[in-house]
């Protein structure tokens, strides 16, 4: 799986691809300096159950670490992943 980031102004997106086919994405916005808000996580139904959504959340958590940012998960799915995954809770803020 390949994950590509795109960003325009304060809006951003990480899109997941398998063999050049888009399988899901996670959207976010910058809500201040070093502050990301996760807005939505979506995996296309035919790719459900493969852990793609969780991989997207883990990817954005790693992005936050590298950019020295904190994350506020407004998306209920992303919030659930953060609640169940102690190793990424360091980027909550």
């Amino acid at each position: 799986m390949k994950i590509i980031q795109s960003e325009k102004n304060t809006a951003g997106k990480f899109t997941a691809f398998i063999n050049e086919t888009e399988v899901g994405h996670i959207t976010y916005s910058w809500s201040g300096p070093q502050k990301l808000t996760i807005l939505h996580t979506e995996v296309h139904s035919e790719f459900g159950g493969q852990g793609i959504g969780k991989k997207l959340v883990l990817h954005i958590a790693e992005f936050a670490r590298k950019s020295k940012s904190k994350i506020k998960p407004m998306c209920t799915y992303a919030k659930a992943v953060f609640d169940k995954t102690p190793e990424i809770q360091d980027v909550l803020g």
Side-chain angles (χ1 to χ4, degrees), residues 19-86:
N19 298 326
E20 307 306 317
T21 299
E22 181 179 333
V23 296
H25 62 265
I26 190 167
T27 59
Y28 64 91
S29 67
W30 289 100
S31 49
Q34 280 72 47
K35 181 79 169 178
L36 295 170
T37 299
I38 296 176
L39 304 172
H40 183 67
T41 306
E42 182 175 336
V43 174
H44 302 302
S45 59
E46 62 269 27
F47 296 98
Q50 298 180 36
I52 293 167
K54 183 174 182 179
K55 288 176 186 172
L56 285 164
V57 174
L58 295 174
H59 190 84
I60 200 169
E62 186 58 31
F63 171 75
R65 279 191 197 102
K66 288 179 181 175
S67 63
K68 296 180 177 26
S69 301
K70 294 292 183 178
I71 292 176
K72 181 178 182 181
M74 296 298 291
C75 163
T76 55
Y77 176 80
K79 183 177 179 339
V81 173
F82 272 95
D83 289 346
K84 296 175 186 174
T85 314

